[in-house]
Each structure stands twice: as structure tokens, then as C-alpha cells.
Amino acid sequence: MLNIVILGAGNVATHLFKAFETSESAKVIQVYNHRLESLSFFKNKTEVCNNINNLKDADLYLICLKDDVIEDYASQLKYKNTMIAHTSGSFPLLQNIEQSGVFYPLQSFSKFAELDYKNIPFCLESNTKSGIQLLKKLAKEVSKQVFEIDSKQRQTLHLAAVFVNNFSNHLYTIAEDICKKEDIPFDILKALILETANKIQTQSPKLAQTGPAVRQDFKTIDRHLSQISDEQIRRIYQLFTNSIIKKYE
Amino acid sequence: MLNIVILGAGNVATHLFKAFETSESAKVIQVYNHRLESLSFFKNKTEVCNNINNLKDADLYLICLKDDVIEDYASQLKYKNTMIAHTSGSFPLLQNIEQSGVFYPLQSFSKFAELDYKNIPFCLESNTKSGIQLLKKLAKEVSKQVFEIDSKQRQTLHLAAVFVNNFSNHLYTIAEDICKKEDIPFDILKALILETANKIQTQSPKLAQTGPAVRQDFKTIDRHLSQISDEQIRRIYQLFTNSIIKKYE
């Protein structure tokens, strides 16, 4: 049995805890957070603790905390002489730790959304062979998608994820605002949003591109621009249109 | 039985034909296109025709052609004294036609993608009451989502659709390019793309926003900007980040 102590009580900690619950060879034996109040979700499911000096011995300390404090917590755990891993998409592999690792689930976690962990890609890294083996075994307990990714690649992935996740979601927000102004229910767009994401599961997005920009349909582009009253939104329309035209010229 | 003649042989014509095939009260009795070669898909399924003077009598002429030629074809059909509708998201309701309509399926159609027509929103408009009744009956045969939308609203929807469909897809393309440069398989991002689109099916995108911009995490934003070598992509990153910060301030 692989004994895990999780540090943190946020979305990543909560979802990883849930994912490990179904595992037969890994067990979360303790969850730490500096505020005891944040640990209520875990309280009846495992041991909880808000004193860093009272951590149990474990095979893996999994730091699910903000980038700013990862280093600090890692240095406090160093004496444990066991695997210390973090779950950040952008923080580098911990240095000066005998066995350090990264266990990065590439997904956007909301506290209450139910997720199918089997389809979440886990991006792993370690400074030792046995470390990567341990993380791989653990990740495969949870997910079908397990990748060994170095720190530089992980930072690139994190950047790419901002484009497909944060920026796409902002496009949805802009569309919702555009609809609201004309009393159109945003619901009408939901099937299209899903189909857009579905289509590239089997086809390169480069080949899936449609719309007035890729057709160089300037009549429609000009009409669209005349429909947009918000200066910022018009800039986004213009920049995307130019970028698409340039890409497919 | 509602007898339909479809004009056009492109993606919209093909998918609407397929959707009507399952209907018990509507039947496509003929498909017209000026090039006979384009009609091979329909040839063994219904009558085909490339001479506009040989169109059969029908209850509905459905023009699934490019915006530029809709008016021209409509004027040639005028003498039929029956319902003439187009399927365009941006072209206005036809004028000077006794009974004109719009039958706009809000979806991005690829020729070969299988679609669940039941979930495609149909946006309808007509200049007569009986016209809107006819279109509604037809749309409900095919889809669960039927909306009455006027020309101005439809043009707004078409603009909003460009943001969620064309521009989101361009973001996916940018992410694919970013991954390629570091030999990272784009597949790793696919689950995240799907979850981003899934999340807003039940939650407003405004509330679903995550990432460094909404957190005003300037350390991460600066690092991301330093990772981007392409000038155009950096401009997109900057513009989105500013737009998100402004939206949530």
C-alpha cells in the first residue's frame, strides 16, 4: 500500500483525494492544511491536521498548494527522506530534495464539478527513476492518460492550457454578453460550443477552421465589425480575424 | 405530407436532407444544384435536377446556398406562390416574397461529421403566421431546440457564434502550434478542451472563469509572455489578459 499525505485543501487536493479513494493500492492517510476549518470535507474520511510538525510518515507527500509556498513547505518536509511532489503546472521540479516529483493533473478543477478522472491527463516528472515509477503507478491507478513531461514542456503545456481553457471561456463570456444585449438566450449557443470542442477530438483544429475569416469573406467581416459597439470586443474580433487570415493564406 | 425542394448540395443541404430523412411528415422530393456532379450524394435517395426551370411543385423551397445568390434564386422561385426559406445565419428575411422564411440551424457543419440533430438549435423567422407555423412544425420533427428569432437577433447570434466557434477553434490551433514546438502531443489538451465546453452547459461562463488573468497573477502572466516567441500570439495573450482583468475588476 502506498501511503500518501496531501498538503492543501483546495480544488486540486479535493479532487485528487476523491480520485485516490477508488484506488486499491494507494491510500491518503492524512490531509494537512494550516487552517483547520478548510479541512471539513476530509474530516470524516481520513486523518486531518493543521500542525506541520505532526505529519505522519508516508511514501509520498503531495503538495497541492499555491506556487508561492511550494518551496517553503518542501523544505520543511525534507528531513522525511521520502518522495515529495507538487501538483503545479508551472512550478519547476523541486531542487535540493533527494526524491522530488511533479504530479500535475491537466484539468480545470471546480470544487463541485463531478469529473471522470479516468480521462484526465496526468503529467509526471521526477529526479529519480524509482520516483517516476512510483508516480506512474499511482497515476495509472486513477487515469488512462499518463505522460512523462519535463519541467520545460510542462510550462509550455500550462501556457497552451491558458489558451484553450481560460481564453476559450472568455470567448464564451463575450458571446453571452453579446446575446444578453439583444435578449437572446445564451442557451442557443451551447450545442455549438460543445460541438466545437468535440470536433477537434478526432480532427486537427487547423483543418476544422470555418467562418468568415478563413473564407476571407470581407463583406460578413465588415458587417460583424459594424455590429460590435464595445471597443475591446471589436479589437478581439479584428485581431482573431487577422490572425486566421494570416494562418491560412 | 410536407413536400420540400432543397436548393444546394453543400454541408447544410446534406445535413438537413439527412435530418429530414427520419421525419414522418416531411419529405425532400427534389434536390437542385447548378452542377449535376455535386448531387451524387442525393442521386439514389431522391430526384435531382440542375435546371432551375424543372423544379417540382412543393410546399417549401429551402435555399441552402451562399448568401450572395440567395436573392437571385428567390426571385426565380417567386412565381411558385409558396413558402421560400433560406438557411443563412446572416442574410435577412427575403423581401417581396409572399411567404418567405428563415430556417437557420445554428451549428458548424462539416460534411462527414455525424451530428445529433435533436440537439441542434433551429432559429426560425417568417413574414406570415402560417409560415412560422409550417417552419416550426418542420423544425420540431428534427430537433428539440426550436426558437423564433428575428433577423436582427439572428445576425447577433451569427456574430456570437463566430466568437464561440471560429475563434475558439483558432485558440485550439494556436495551442496545437505551441505544443508542436516542444514535441508535446496535442492530445494531452483534448480532455481540458472538452471539459471547458462542458462546464458552461450548466454554469454561466462568467462564473466559470479561471486562470492567471482573473487571479491577477502577474508573475505567471509575465512568465507566459516571456515564453511566447510569435508576435501575433503574444498580442492575443496580452489582449485576452487585459480583457479578462477589466471584466472582473
Side-chain angles (χ1 to χ4, degrees):
Chain A
M1 184 63 77
L2 182 81
N3 288 324
I4 305 169
V5 169
I6 287 180
L7 291 88
N11 295 344
V12 174
T14 306
H15 279 287
L16 287 181
F17 181 86
K18 282 192 197 174
F20 295 146
E21 273 185 317
T22 62
S23 160
E24 282 175 10
S25 64
K27 194 175 162 32
V28 178
I29 56 165
Q30 192 181 36
V31 179
Y32 161 89
N33 198 57
H34 72 291
R35 285 181 44 198
L36 208 55
E37 310 88 84
S38 313
L39 290 163
S40 56
F41 170 81
F42 306 96
K43 218 166 49 184
N44 297 317
K45 300 181 179 74
T46 188
E47 211 181 292
V48 297
C49 144
N50 71 335
N51 182 342
I52 193 73
N53 298 313
N54 291 345
L55 292 192
K56 289 179 130 180
D57 286 334
D59 304 302
L60 168 64
Y61 293 88
L62 201 52
I63 306 179
C64 310
L65 293 162
K66 283 189 181 149
D67 288 11
D68 294 345
V69 301
I70 291 173
E71 193 108 56
D72 183 37
Y73 274 98
S75 69
Q76 293 184 66
L77 293 169
K78 225 169 143 175
Y79 71 97
K80 293 276 189 187
N81 278 327
T82 181
M83 177 73 152
I84 301 170
H86 70 72
T87 57
S88 164
S90 46
F91 201 80
L93 186 67
L94 287 157
Q95 301 300 313
N96 308 317
I97 302 275
E98 209 174 297
Q99 191 161 46
S100 71
V102 180
F103 193 81
Y104 168 49
L106 182 60
Q107 189 52 278
S108 166
F109 293 112
S110 305
K111 200 133 201 164
F112 303 107
E114 289 297 321
L115 286 168
D116 181 10
Y117 302 110
K118 278 266 160 292
N119 291 318
I120 295 179
F122 280 80
C123 304
L124 313 178
E125 186 179 6
S126 177
N127 60 349
T128 67
K129 254 199 177 141
S130 61
I132 199 76
Q133 275 164 358
L134 181 151
L135 295 179
K136 263 190 186 165
K137 191 167 174 268
L138 181 62
K140 282 180 178 169
E141 286 274 320
V142 175
S143 171
K144 287 182 298 184
Q145 295 197 59
V146 177
F147 300 89
E148 213 180 318
I149 293 284
D150 68 29
S151 286
K152 192 170 175 232
Q153 286 179 315
R154 186 160 35 84
Q155 288 192 347
T156 303
L157 259 179
H158 189 257
L159 171 65
V162 166
F163 279 84
V164 301
N165 175 242
N166 307 155
F167 293 173
S168 284
N169 188 75
H170 189 53
L171 288 175
Y172 305 158
T173 306
I174 290 170
E176 191 182 38
D177 288 346
I178 290 173
C179 286
K180 260 185 199 157
K181 272 193 193 159
E182 296 278 341
D183 279 327
I184 303 164
F186 178 62
D187 283 354
I188 304 190
L189 288 171
K190 287 182 176 177
L192 180 62
I193 287 171
L194 210 50
E195 176 58 19
T196 307
N198 250 327
K199 208 186 255 184
I200 60 89
Q201 302 296 315
T202 51
Q203 187 181 21
S204 162
K206 204 187 159 189
L207 300 173
Q209 188 65 51
T210 57
V214 72
R215 290 197 307 271
Q216 304 212 11
D217 173 357
F218 294 108
K219 212 168 130 186
T220 301
I221 291 167
D222 286 345
R223 202 195 42 249
H224 281 165
L225 285 169
S226 75
Q227 286 173 249
I228 306 171
S229 55
D230 184 296
E231 190 51 46
Q232 185 90 339
I233 295 177
R234 192 186 293 120
R235 265 208 293 272
I236 290 177
Y237 187 98
Q238 192 79 69
L239 188 55
F240 265 87
T241 297
N242 294 342
S243 180
I244 293 170
I245 290 173
K246 206 178 138 197
K247 178 93 191 159
Y248 292 87
E249 231 161 26
Chain B
M1 183 66 75
L2 183 80
N3 288 325
I4 305 169
V5 170
I6 287 180
L7 290 90
N11 295 344
V12 175
T14 306
H15 279 286
L16 287 181
F17 181 87
K18 282 192 199 173
F20 295 146
E21 272 185 319
T22 62
S23 161
E24 283 175 11
S25 64
K27 193 175 161 32
V28 178
I29 56 166
Q30 193 180 36
V31 179
Y32 160 89
N33 198 57
H34 72 290
R35 286 181 44 198
L36 208 54
E37 311 89 86
S38 313
L39 290 163
S40 57
F41 171 79
F42 306 96
K43 218 167 47 183
N44 297 317
K45 299 181 179 75
T46 189
E47 211 180 292
V48 296
C49 146
N50 70 335
N51 182 342
I52 194 74
N53 298 314
N54 292 344
L55 292 192
K56 289 179 132 181
D57 286 335
D59 304 302
L60 168 64
Y61 293 88
L62 202 52
I63 307 178
C64 310
L65 292 163
K66 282 189 183 147
D67 289 9
D68 294 346
V69 301
I70 290 174
E71 193 107 57
D72 184 36
Y73 273 98
S75 69
Q76 293 185 64
L77 293 170
K78 226 169 143 176
Y79 71 95
K80 294 275 189 190
N81 278 328
T82 181
M83 177 75 153
I84 301 170
H86 70 71
T87 56
S88 164
S90 46
F91 201 80
L93 185 68
L94 286 158
Q95 301 301 314
N96 308 318
I97 302 273
E98 207 172 299
Q99 190 159 47
S100 71
V102 180
F103 193 80
Y104 169 50
L106 181 62
Q107 189 51 275
S108 166
F109 292 113
S110 305
K111 201 134 199 164
F112 303 108
E114 289 297 321
L115 286 168
D116 181 8
Y117 302 110
K118 279 266 160 293
N119 291 317
I120 294 179
F122 281 80
C123 303
L124 312 179
E125 187 179 6
S126 177
N127 59 349
T128 66
K129 255 200 178 144
S130 61
I132 200 75
Q133 274 164 358
L134 182 150
L135 295 178
K136 263 191 187 164
K137 190 167 175 265
L138 181 62
K140 283 180 178 170
E141 285 276 319
V142 175
S143 169
K144 287 182 298 184
Q145 295 196 59
V146 176
F147 301 88
E148 212 179 320
I149 293 284
D150 67 31
S151 285
K152 193 172 177 230
Q153 287 179 316
R154 186 160 35 85
Q155 288 193 344
T156 302
L157 259 178
H158 190 256
L159 171 66
V162 166
F163 279 84
V164 300
N165 175 242
N166 306 155
F167 293 174
S168 283
N169 188 75
H170 189 54
L171 287 175
Y172 305 159
T173 306
I174 290 171
E176 189 182 40
D177 289 344
I178 290 172
C179 286
K180 260 185 199 157
K181 273 194 192 158
E182 295 278 342
D183 279 327
I184 303 164
F186 177 63
D187 283 353
I188 304 188
L189 288 171
K190 287 182 175 176
L192 180 62
I193 286 171
L194 210 50
E195 176 58 20
T196 307
N198 250 325
K199 208 187 257 185
I200 60 89
Q201 302 295 315
T202 51
Q203 186 180 21
S204 163
K206 203 187 161 189
L207 300 173
Q209 188 65 51
T210 56
V214 71
R215 289 198 308 271
Q216 302 211 11
D217 173 357
F218 294 108
K219 212 168 131 186
T220 301
I221 291 167
D222 287 344
R223 201 195 46 248
H224 280 166
L225 284 169
S226 76
Q227 285 173 252
I228 306 172
S229 56
D230 184 296
E231 191 50 48
Q232 184 90 339
I233 296 176
R234 191 186 295 119
R235 266 206 294 272
I236 289 176
Y237 187 98
Q238 193 79 68
L239 188 57
F240 265 86
T241 297
N242 293 343
S243 181
I244 293 169
I245 289 173
K246 206 177 138 198
K247 179 93 193 160
Y248 293 86
E249 232 163 24

